[in-house]
Amino acid sequence: MKLRKLAVAASVAAIGLSALFTTPAAFAAEEQFFPVLAYRTGAYAPNGTPWANGFVDYMKLTNARGGVNGVKMIWEECETGYATDRGVECYERLKGKHGGATAVQPLSTGITFALTEKAPVDKIPVITAGYGRSESQDGSVFGWNFPLVGTYWMGADVLVQHLAKKEGGFDKLKGKKIALVYHDSPYGKEPIALLQERAKMHGFDLSLLPVAHPGVEQKATWLQIRQNKPDYVFLWGWGVMNSTSIKEAQATGYPREKMYGVWWSGAEPDVKDVGDGAKGYNALAMQHGAEPNAKVVKEILEKLHAKGQGTGPKEEVGQVLYMRGVISSMLQVEGVRAAQGRYGKGKRITGEQMRWGLENINLDQKTLDSLGFAGVMRPVQTSCLDHMGSAWARIHTWDGKKWNFTSDWYQGDEKVLRPLVISTAGRYAEEKKIKRRTADDCKK
Amino acid sequence: MSFFLETLIGGLMSGMLYSLVALGFVLIYKASGVFNFAQGAMVLFAALSMARFSEWIPQWLGMDNLFMANVLAFAVSVAVMFIVAWLIERLVLRHLVNQEGATLLMATLGIAYFLDGVGQTIFGSDIYKIDVGMPKEPVMMLENVFEGGILINKEDFVAAFISAMLVLALTIFFQKTATGRALRAVADDHQAAQSIGIPLNRIWVIVWCVAGITALVAGVIWGSKLGAQFSLSTVALRALPVVILGGLTSVPGAIIGGLIIGVGEKLSEVYLGPYVGGGIEIWFAYMLALMFLLFRPQGLFGEKIIDRV
């Protein structure tokens, strides 16, 4: 009994001493903390895991490169299971750790909706690269949301542009039938506003077909598609819903060539299990696709995986969702770099300073090339008013074995997107009594 | 008309697949009076085992025969499910003999979480392929009778046939064998069954083994359709209205309940869905089951409970 008490006392003392000595030392080394809200278990794990692996690997690579002007990235992972309540719990648990979170990436539109009102209070930017609220592109209202590189409205706009090009012009879309098969959640509902706007403009018929979480039962949905015979099907799914949609399309004889997924419905986990049945299926590429030959991929393999320090399997490095994680991570690292440019190189920055950094990202092609992203993505330039920074996308198609790019680059049409963003953000500002930020506010 | 028939047939076939999962609930409830919340987790565990062993065995043995790989993987998965059943009896149920039903229900909830977690830890959380040669392309029938014919999903048809065979085998097992009768006796009253010499522990192992095999068959069929991945455990939620409707103690009830729910949810989604925004099939199934309960609280085929006061 005495021995047991002694052991407990020694353990407590050891923990206390280690906290005493290691915590200040950690701060002395200047570290930048990022919570990692991930999902490696549950219904969406097949898609969440590669993203998280890419996200973490790029932070490791940044540290292997010497950090950002010597400041090392540190992170702590929390499992959300893609559930909003668990996501908020993870955020609350991690936001104050290691001197405070620099930024947070929830990888869920539902969690993003929940954090949107918390971020201004906590002064922690919410980065949602390729997801989240589309109207949060308007930085004058959504001061803390950053839907970098793509919003769902932009994605949906590019899909309509692609169909118009395929059909020979926007006027040829008149009378066409487009069905949107979507995950019945805030995520899946996001593109509806833009598609309805485009449907009014061009006279195509839009039918909406929601699929309940997690999306494993879609027979009735695809029977309706078989009955209505739409000219095209847009797929806004996530996780197992994607592969189930493609399988049901096969089972009901709907041509996969006429299916277009959003960029969260166009990765290896969505098609590899379907094999030849997915041949011809198209999806948006949020700039990048599978990039096994990118310089950054080779560097990750060489500096991390070859040394046994990679996160996840080597074979996954360079796949679509892994690359999405890498790019999301790179954007936040570049936000830190931009902020350091103003607030002091080699210094740890706060969440508020990070916001300034994210609003002043200027990644030209030369910088992207030097970071190893040549051919992977196009330049990104954000501002106080534009929190997206880039509106480019293209289409890639599954050939039964791999994804291949099958279109040119498209840019989201600002003439269509901007009024929708401004009016929707304006309504939000009115409802929440938010005063739009002015040019002076942006300088702070 | 042809579209209505397609929806109806599609619903019937989905219903057969729900019945397969519902059977697992019924088997355990019939034999032990336990509402096994872990049935969905068992389906997932079995499917992951089948998928991964059919991938690993050819690598270990250096063989290139899909059929043999599937046979061996199925055999190994049966053994795995037997071990799971034995461990559940040994580590959980044995300690809960004669406890309240709610205690046993909570224990199975714990088993469900444990199996979900440990399954993904051992076998991984990706989507894994189960290729047992199920036909994927649809077939058109009655083209001369209806314009455009009726589309039948061959995979669903084969799956429904396998489900029907399994149901038949289980019905015979329960009604015609001594073990089946012993199982029913245990379900009626643990203590009374023990007093006439029925070994409770062995019976529980047997019934969990049978439920494990049912979960494996369901896992292989659902896994072949959807890929072996976590969402399979949620398939059990689709089977809940089936057992509510069919009655927890009836094997034929699980089948009829499955068919009613399958047809009901597909017809509701197709014909009512567009008027209420769609995506209604899941809650509609529960509503349908609850409506039945208003008139028959014990379910369609459940046993009426009569207590003397």
Side-chain angles (χ1 to χ4, degrees):
Chain A
M1 195 65 189
K2 265 187 183 171
L3 196 67
R4 198 173 151 193
K5 277 186 183 166
L6 200 66
V8 172
S11 308
V12 171
I15 292 165
L17 282 175
S18 69
L20 200 66
F21 290 113
T22 56
T23 311
F27 279 106
E30 293 296 6
E31 290 172 336
Q32 204 70 54
F33 173 60
F34 291 95
V36 179
L37 271 55
Y39 30 100
R40 296 181 182 276
T41 61
Y44 301 92
N47 298 56
T49 304
W51 183 93
N53 290 343
F55 189 81
V56 170
D57 268 356
Y58 191 80
M59 285 199 279
K60 286 182 182 171
L61 179 68
T62 304
N63 288 345
R65 284 169 171 172
V68 181
N69 300 311
V71 177
K72 295 288 172 87
M73 307 294 119
I74 57 167
W75 59 90
E76 196 171 318
E77 209 169 302
C78 185
E79 175 70 31
T80 72
Y82 195 59
T84 301
D85 54 344
R86 283 172 69 186
V88 173
E89 195 187 316
C90 283
Y91 169 81
E92 292 293 346
R93 195 190 309 157
L94 297 179
K95 71 180 183 188
K97 280 199 166 180
H98 303 283
T102 316
V104 64
Q105 304 210 26
L107 191 60
S108 150
T109 298
I111 302 173
T112 305
F113 270 68
L115 296 187
T116 295
E117 289 180 37
K118 288 178 177 286
V121 179
D122 298 328
K123 300 198 184 310
I124 298 172
V126 180
I127 303 172
T128 57
Y131 58 97
R133 310 177 73 119
S134 298
E135 68 269 35
S136 66
Q137 182 191 351
D138 184 351
S140 69
V141 173
F142 293 89
W144 296 88
N145 292 54
F146 289 86
L148 297 168
V149 192
T151 66
Y152 292 132
W153 290 349
M154 185 277 264
D157 192 70
V158 165
L159 281 181
V160 176
Q161 286 186 48
H162 179 68
L163 295 192
K165 190 176 178 191
K166 211 169 132 75
E167 292 287 337
F170 279 106
D171 56 319
K172 300 284 192 304
L173 291 181
K174 194 174 170 64
K176 294 276 179 210
K177 289 199 267 186
I178 297 175
L180 173 69
V181 176
Y182 65 97
H183 194 270
D184 199 4
S185 65
Y187 152 61
K189 290 173 185 167
E190 266 296 304
I192 294 174
L194 184 284
L195 289 173
Q196 285 173 334
E197 186 66 27
R198 279 285 196 185
K200 254 191 284 173
M201 286 169 69
H202 312 299
F204 62 80
D205 176 59
L206 176 71
S207 55
L208 304 174
L209 299 168
V211 173
H213 156 85
V216 290
E217 190 48 68
Q218 297 182 35
K219 187 173 284 301
T221 304
W222 287 88
L223 281 171
Q224 288 175 82
I225 286 174
R226 179 170 146 68
Q227 186 192 28
N228 297 334
K229 297 186 177 58
D231 298 286
Y232 297 101
V233 168
F234 288 170
L235 178 61
W236 233 263
W238 186 225
V240 70
M241 176 184 160
N242 293 331
S243 54
T244 307
S245 286
I246 300 168
K247 285 174 186 171
E248 286 292 349
Q250 184 184 16
T252 46
Y254 189 83
R256 266 66 80 205
E257 295 77 16
K258 293 186 169 191
M259 290 177 71
Y260 288 85
V262 66
W263 43 63
W264 298 109
S265 303
E268 289 80 1
D270 306 322
V271 287
K272 67 176 183 192
D273 176 39
V274 196
D276 276 352
K279 226 171 171 175
Y281 168 70
N282 310 285
L284 269 173
M286 198 186 86
Q287 304 214 358
H288 70 92
E291 308 286 355
N293 299 317
K295 211 173 135 196
V296 68
V297 166
K298 288 178 179 158
E299 201 180 343
I300 287 172
L301 286 170
E302 184 194 318
K303 289 187 176 161
L304 302 177
H305 284 264
K307 294 177 182 167
Q309 292 166 3
T311 319
K314 204 167 86 177
E315 301 71 38
E316 185 187 85
V317 180
Q319 289 187 356
V320 177
L321 288 169
Y322 180 92
M323 287 309 293
R324 187 84 35 85
V326 166
I327 288 171
S328 303
S329 193
M330 180 273 282
L331 290 167
Q332 77 178 13
V333 167
E334 292 313 303
V336 171
R337 199 184 307 277
Q340 279 192 15
R342 184 182 194 198
Y343 298 103
K345 282 191 178 173
K347 286 189 176 167
R348 182 182 177 280
I349 58 159
T350 64
E352 209 163 359
Q353 292 166 343
M354 177 66 167
R355 173 169 82 156
W356 189 91
L358 290 169
E359 287 184 337
N360 290 275
I361 287 178
N362 186 6
L363 292 172
D364 56 17
Q365 200 57 56
K366 202 173 142 199
T367 312
L368 285 172
D369 293 355
S370 70
L371 291 170
F373 291 86
V376 176
M377 60 189 289
R378 289 195 154 187
V380 184
Q381 186 172 15
T382 54
S383 70
C384 178
L385 296 181
D386 176 18
H387 279 194
M388 183 160 69
S390 176
W392 293 95
R394 45 187 163 166
I395 306 291
H396 60 171
T397 303
W398 181 251
D399 70 3
K401 287 187 177 63
K402 63 182 192 313
W403 289 99
N404 301 301
F405 290 113
T406 48
S407 84
D408 293 333
W409 287 92
Y410 293 96
Q411 191 172 23
D413 188 347
E414 278 295 285
K415 288 197 293 294
V416 179
L417 292 171
R418 201 69 199 161
L420 196 60
V421 168
I422 297 292
S423 64
T424 316
R427 276 201 300 279
Y428 180 84
E430 207 173 297
E431 188 190 319
K432 302 285 175 190
K433 307 210 178 341
I434 296 169
K435 204 174 145 211
R436 277 187 186 274
R437 293 160 78 203
T438 62
D440 282 344
D441 293 330
C442 290
K443 285 177 193 155
K444 287 176 192 165
Chain B
M1 185 62 186
S2 64
F3 180 66
F4 175 79
L5 283 175
E6 264 175 24
T7 312
L8 189 76
I9 294 168
L12 287 171
M13 289 184 185
S14 293
M16 274 312 286
L17 297 185
Y18 296 157
S19 302
L20 194 57
V21 183
L23 265 179
F25 284 104
V26 172
L27 284 176
I28 291 183
Y29 192 83
K30 251 175 101 73
S32 59
V34 178
F35 186 84
N36 177 25
F37 223 90
Q39 192 60 33
M42 285 170 69
V43 172
L44 169 66
F45 197 87
L48 283 173
S49 167
M50 175 73 191
R52 297 318 303 274
F53 279 114
S54 65
E55 187 186 327
W56 290 335
I57 287 171
Q59 288 169 14
W60 293 338
L61 302 180
M63 59 189 238
D64 192 22
N65 185 326
L66 183 67
F67 177 75
M68 276 312 292
N70 278 329
V71 170
L72 290 173
F74 191 84
V76 172
S77 300
V78 168
V80 166
M81 293 316 288
F82 280 5
I83 293 168
V84 168
W86 180 76
L87 286 174
I88 288 172
E89 192 281 323
R90 196 86 186 168
L91 301 176
V92 185
L93 299 177
R94 183 170 288 200
H95 307 285
L96 298 174
V97 176
N98 291 328
Q99 294 296 316
E100 290 292 321
T103 310
L104 290 161
L105 172 73
M106 295 312 287
T108 64
L109 199 59
I111 294 168
Y113 281 113
F114 181 76
L115 284 180
D116 276 350
V118 85
Q120 290 180 92
T121 306
I122 298 170
F123 300 117
S125 55
D126 211 340
I127 301 179
Y128 303 102
K129 195 172 184 172
I130 294 182
D131 184 4
V132 285
M134 294 280 248
K136 302 285 179 189
E137 295 298 333
V139 62
M140 299 302 295
M141 292 174 79
L142 301 174
E143 282 176 281
N144 299 331
V145 183
F146 300 106
E147 195 187 327
I150 294 176
L151 180 134
I152 302 285
N153 187 341
K154 278 194 276 185
E155 185 178 29
D156 283 353
F157 192 75
V158 173
F161 178 75
I162 294 170
S163 305
M165 289 298 104
L166 189 71
V167 166
L168 189 69
L170 287 171
T171 310
I172 293 169
F173 172 70
F174 264 97
Q175 301 298 334
K176 306 286 177 194
T177 66
T179 312
R181 279 193 291 275
L183 291 174
R184 281 155 54 204
V186 171
D188 273 351
D189 192 321
H190 295 175
Q191 281 171 321
Q194 268 181 317
S195 70
I196 57 162
I198 295 174
L200 196 59
N201 295 336
R202 201 193 307 159
I203 287 295
W204 273 1
V205 171
I206 290 171
V207 78
W208 279 78
C209 284
V210 176
I213 293 172
T214 313
L216 178 58
V217 175
V220 171
I221 292 173
W222 279 97
S224 165
K225 261 172 80 75
L226 306 170
Q229 39 75 36
F230 181 82
S231 299
L232 287 183
S233 65
T234 65
V235 166
L237 295 176
R238 318 305 300 270
L240 276 181
V242 173
V243 288
I244 294 171
L245 196 148
L248 265 167
T249 52
S250 167
V251 171
I255 303 151
I256 306 293
L259 295 177
I260 294 173
I261 292 290
V263 169
E265 64 177 28
K266 299 297 171 260
L267 290 178
S268 67
E269 182 66 50
V270 169
Y271 292 104
L272 288 179
Y275 298 104
V276 288
I280 66 168
E281 60 183 304
I282 292 180
W283 63 258
F284 189 86
Y286 280 91
M287 210 179 74
L288 194 67
L290 290 173
M291 273 164 58
F292 267 86
L293 286 189
L294 282 179
F295 301 99
R296 280 189 68 84
Q298 70 276 29
L300 275 179
F301 298 89
E303 287 161 16
K304 247 185 184 164
I305 301 161
I306 301 166
D307 282 330
R308 288 183 196 283
V309 288

